[in-house]
Amino acid sequence: MRPGAPPAPAAPGIPDAVATLRAGARPMVLTLTVLAATLGAAPAALAGAWLQEKGSGLLAFSHEANRDRTWGSRWGYSSVYGEYGMTPKLTLGLDAGKGEAADDWKAIAFLRFGSEIDWLPGRLATEFGAGAAGAPGGMTEPVIRAGLSWGTGFTTPDGSGWISLDARTDSRPQSAMVDYKLDITLGVMPNPRTQLTLEIWGEEAATEPRTVKLSPAVSRRIGKDTWLRIGGIVGIHNDRSIGLVIGSRIEF
């Protein structure tokens, strides 16, 4: 998923599992340590490792406004993300986005399969998808996606929390290029109407240097099934961008 396009919970009051650390990955190793004593039952239904319940889903929209801290150049990116629960262990989804350049776009449909492992807390899910993306010269090329997600919940003095890791590869067979991504999300829900997330995401693209960004955000429920989200974006490795992301999601 494009940064700034967070997925959302299938049920009111359940926190977002936004893909937030996109760390690209062949030789890249990222370590995240969590106090085991705080781990508890996983939230009922989050994006990523938490699948949508059968017959329920969400639709999320977001827009990024970015600026280069060195050169001052500006650009934007808009995205749409959707999920629908086909069965208790199968979710159908759409991940699409468009930037300002003619070849900066993608549209990927995917299936996510849920599972649990006895020796591992939380939930595990695998993801497979296919779609298309822009290529130089105004061309279009196919994209194949494969992913693995893990997530678990925990309790804090400020409310229920969660952590999720999402690893994905987007392969372009036509040009023999592969983009590697690893997202990590840490969140807490201090009350039923507020979600706080700290997202770190990185990406190792086939034609660009490995980058890592940080994005803190606040989501606020404004109706029974509607949330608004606002957050910041700052590059922390091979990225001089700073920006703002705003978004909304509807659960159904």
Side-chain angles (χ1 to χ4, degrees):
M1 178 187 306
R2 180 76 179 191
I14 302 295
D16 267 326
V18 182
T20 42
L21 165 65
R22 295 191 174 178
R26 282 169 295 188
M28 185 182 200
V29 178
L30 296 175
T31 304
L32 182 64
T33 304
V34 181
L35 294 177
T38 67
L39 294 178
L46 298 179
W50 290 271
L51 276 62
Q52 297 294 322
E53 296 179 358
K54 181 179 179 179
S56 66
L58 65 91
L59 188 61
F61 305 90
S62 72
H63 179 74
E64 296 177 28
N66 295 284
R67 179 178 65 84
D68 189 291
R69 301 197 301 268
T70 301
W71 306 106
S73 56
R74 300 174 184 269
W75 67 96
Y77 191 91
S78 299
S79 59
V80 59
Y81 181 91
E83 288 186 354
Y84 181 77
M86 304 292 290
T87 73
K89 291 190 176 182
L90 176 63
T91 289
L92 172 68
L94 172 68
D95 180 12
K98 176 70 173 70
E100 296 179 356
D103 60 354
D104 187 12
W105 64 270
K106 69 175 180 181
I108 300 173
F110 62 85
L111 290 172
R112 185 177 295 131
F113 304 85
S115 61
E116 296 185 13
I117 300 179
D118 292 339
W119 52 268
L120 185 68
R123 296 192 175 191
L124 192 69
T126 54
E127 181 179 312
F128 301 96
M139 304 297 289
T140 298
E141 61 180 330
V143 177
I144 298 174
R145 172 174 291 182
L148 181 66
S149 300
W150 170 85
T152 191
F154 55 89
T155 301
T156 77
D158 297 318
S160 61
W162 75 98
I163 184 172
S164 65
L165 287 77
D166 301 279
R168 295 187 180 91
T169 62
D170 287 345
S171 304
R172 304 188 183 201
Q174 184 172 302
S175 57
M177 296 192 302
V178 183
D179 295 338
Y180 298 85
K181 303 175 183 180
L182 175 63
D183 308 344
I184 299 178
T185 306
L186 182 63
V188 65
M189 194 165 185
N191 61 66
R193 301 182 64 86
T194 305
Q195 298 171 353
L196 308 175
T197 56
L198 177 61
E199 313 171 60
I200 309 169
W201 33 268
E203 179 174 356
E204 185 173 328
T207 58
E208 300 176 3
R210 182 185 309 153
T211 60
V212 180
K213 295 183 180 182
L214 181 68
S215 178
V218 178
S219 296
R220 182 71 176 174
R221 186 193 297 275
I222 61 171
K224 180 181 178 181
D225 302 315
T226 305
W227 292 76
L228 292 180
R229 178 176 180 268
I230 184 168
I233 304 172
V234 58
I236 59 176
H237 177 70
N238 283 340
D239 192 297
R240 299 292 299 172
S241 66
I242 187 170
L244 179 71
V245 55
I246 57 175
S248 64
R249 75 177 184 266
I250 301 171
E251 302 161 0
F252 56 90

